Amino acid sequence: SQQGEEDPQALSIQEGENATMNCSYKTSINNLQWYRQNSGRGLVHLILIRSNEREKHSGRLRVTLDTSKKSSSLLITASRAADTASYFCATAPQVAGKLIFGQGTTLQVKP
Amino acid sequence: EAGVAQSPRYKIIEKRQSVAFWCNPISGHATLYWYQQILGQGPKLLIQFQNNGVVDDSQLPKDRFSAERLKGVDSTLKIQPAKLEDSAVYLCASSPPHGLGNTGELFFGEGSRLTVL
């Protein structure tokens, strides 16, 4: 079953602009993670935010988590052409030790 | 540190034939996952191993899919007989112990792309 839903499904921006992707989920979680997938490749872990955290930064990435709304957002600042990829949120439900992925947001950054 | 290794990268078969995928996780990673990713969708968990044992196989179509993890290291995923809807990328991932039943970062292989004709 897919728990996370990303919004938008697709996003196209110019290099240098910021990109924001949103994720909503249904059940209580231990943590929420974001992954990137380049075309034809495996997924790469970007950042993990625990249920008791509200915001986390890693380089040009900023992730927020609102457990009351069961939602998260990923902000990529000053985007580059190399950021072109699909981005997935994944939730680790409290009742099960596994990771459930959403459908993803496809980001295109135009040079 | 060597990453998660998968083979083959690509496989084309006729429907009703069988296929097997192999995964070698990162050394020391006790947990191993097989995900199915259909084009345009997010990965769907098929099976999760903790060492030799199966933790979750609730979404594995057991009439045609099987998986094993020998000696808690390598794993194989088999499909027999294959259907057209099995065309997908099969991703293997592994993770180190995270404690308290939590799930931490997963390390993915490059995937095995299956086309069923």
Side-chain angles (χ1 to χ4, degrees):
Chain A
S1 62
Q2 303 291 120
Q3 163 154 252
E5 291 185 7
E6 279 101 330
D7 171 59
Q9 287 190 328
L11 182 60
S12 182
I13 60 175
Q14 294 295 133
E15 211 166 23
E17 294 181 338
N18 296 341
T20 299
M21 290 159 256
N22 302 297
C23 170
S24 60
Y25 58 92
K26 297 174 184 174
T27 62
S28 297
I29 59 172
N30 282 321
N31 66 66
L32 185 145
Q33 303 177 33
W34 286 90
Y35 288 79
R36 183 187 74 230
Q37 185 178 36
N38 290 87
S39 181
R41 307 295 297 274
L43 282 77
V44 175
H45 182 264
L46 295 175
I47 197 164
L48 180 154
I49 185 165
R50 293 181 174 79
S51 59
N52 61 354
E53 297 176 312
R54 292 297 167 258
E55 188 171 311
K56 204 160 183 180
H57 297 255
S58 177
R60 293 184 296 112
L61 306 180
R62 171 178 169 255
V63 169
T64 61
L65 178 64
D66 186 334
T67 54
S68 66
K69 295 181 179 178
K70 290 187 170 58
S71 67
S72 173
S73 67
L74 170 67
L75 169 67
I76 304 174
T77 59
S79 62
R80 306 166 181 168
D83 294 328
T84 294
S86 292
Y87 291 81
F88 296 91
C89 73
T91 52
Q94 282 186 347
V95 296
K98 59 184 178 183
L99 206 57
I100 302 173
F101 286 82
Q103 299 283 24
T105 293
T106 300
L107 172 66
Q108 181 186 30
V109 181
K110 300 175 185 176
Chain B
E1 178 181 81
V4 176
Q6 288 189 248
S7 67
R9 285 296 313 277
Y10 306 93
K11 189 74 175 178
I12 301 174
I13 61 174
E14 301 276 339
K15 61 183 178 183
R16 290 188 289 274
Q17 287 186 325
S18 64
V19 63
F21 302 111
W22 172 83
C23 173
N24 180 238
I26 293 173
S27 177
H29 283 193
T31 309
L32 185 147
Y33 311 78
W34 283 102
Y35 283 87
Q36 178 193 58
Q37 186 177 26
I38 293 172
L39 186 64
Q41 298 184 18
K44 179 181 105 174
L45 179 66
L46 293 176
I47 190 167
Q48 177 181 343
F49 292 95
Q50 179 76 22
N51 296 311
N52 287 343
V54 175
V55 173
D56 187 330
D57 64 357
S58 57
Q59 296 198 84
L60 186 75
K62 298 179 185 65
D63 58 333
R64 298 182 299 105
F65 285 64
S66 65
E68 60 179 4
R69 189 178 185 195
L70 300 175
K71 300 180 181 177
V73 183
D74 291 9
S75 178
T76 56
L77 175 70
K78 297 178 182 177
I79 307 174
Q80 182 179 17
K83 292 185 175 181
L84 296 177
E85 59 260 38
D86 298 332
S87 293
V89 176
Y90 291 87
L91 295 162
C92 179
S94 68
S95 68
H98 195 65
L100 299 175
N102 287 339
T103 301
E105 174 184 355
L106 267 58
F107 296 80
F108 281 84
E110 295 288 2
S112 294
R113 181 178 296 276
L114 174 65
T115 301
V116 182
L117 303 176

